[in-house]
Amino acid sequence: AQTVTQSQPEMSVQEAETVTLSCTYDTSESDYYLFWYKQPPSRQMILVIRQEAYKQQNATENRFSVNFQKAAKSFSLKISDSQLGDAAMYFCAYRSCGNKLVFGAGTILRVKS
Amino acid sequence: DAGVTQSPTHLIKTRGQHVTLRCSPISGHKSVSWYQQVLGQGPQFIFQYYEKEERGRGNFPDRFSARQFPNYSSELNVNALLLGDSALYLCASSHNTDTQYFGPGTRLTVL
């Protein structure tokens, strides 16, 4: 079974600085997708970024980018120029061709002004 | 376009009762998935439906059931509620098997 591990229960970053959230996963599949979702206090789960495993190029969405290391089964999220609105719980998720999402335990991100 | 909608927003039930949660997907999306999120944890997969057929089931007891209607909306039913069923229930929709977009969730409290 696939598993997703987020080893940082909580992270802090100063406003305007950069922070990296870590995620590792375990799978025997070669074709899959990885996601980062953000869950603010409202608890609405919001898609941040997505990466297809067959693509070598790291995905980027504005201030958000990933470092995808397929051989190491690592998928970290970098947030640049952090803003107060980035404060939330961040979940790393894995999806195989079976389509269900497997989530990590989450990392709470605090942004200091 | 409207996002995924869920109803009700909050629900309070007592042990042994039955509950029905509802979800309307994004227009054009034919797949709906249900997740349970206990406070402080990541969401856990319950069911997935595509074109009104069950495509996946997570490790949940038979007290949990779901269905998808011709308009692609979906219901999640939970019978004989237990205290441990208290959680946020999330619905997600996707086009075919693409990226899943989540609704705001239904917060269920079982007393």
Side-chain angles (χ1 to χ4, degrees), chain B residues 13-90:
Chain B
K13 293 284 189 178
T14 56
R15 282 176 296 175
Q17 285 190 310
H18 164 271
V19 68
T20 297
L21 309 181
R22 296 177 175 84
C23 172
S24 292
I26 292 170
S27 178
H29 285 189
K30 299 180 179 180
S31 180
V32 169
S33 299
W34 288 94
Y35 295 83
Q36 180 196 66
Q37 187 180 20
V38 174
L39 193 63
Q41 299 180 17
Q44 297 291 318
F45 172 74
I46 309 175
F47 284 110
Q48 186 195 52
Y49 278 78
Y50 178 71
E51 287 276 19
K52 294 160 284 181
E53 292 189 359
E54 184 183 300
R55 289 298 184 93
R57 173 186 287 255
N59 189 23
F60 280 80
D62 291 343
R63 299 184 297 107
F64 288 76
S65 63
R67 55 180 176 167
Q68 187 176 33
F69 299 98
N71 67 353
Y72 303 112
S73 67
S74 178
E75 284 182 353
L76 175 70
N77 295 283
V78 187
N79 292 323
L81 285 167
L82 303 174
L83 295 178
D85 295 331
S86 295
L88 180 70
Y89 287 85
L90 294 165

Side-chain angles (χ1 to χ4, degrees), chain A residues 70-90:
Chain A
K70 190 172 183 179
K73 297 180 182 175
S74 170
F75 183 61
S76 62
L77 175 70
K78 185 173 82 171
I79 306 174
S80 303
D81 186 25
S82 295
Q83 300 175 359
L84 294 176
D86 294 333
M89 177 76 91
Y90 285 80

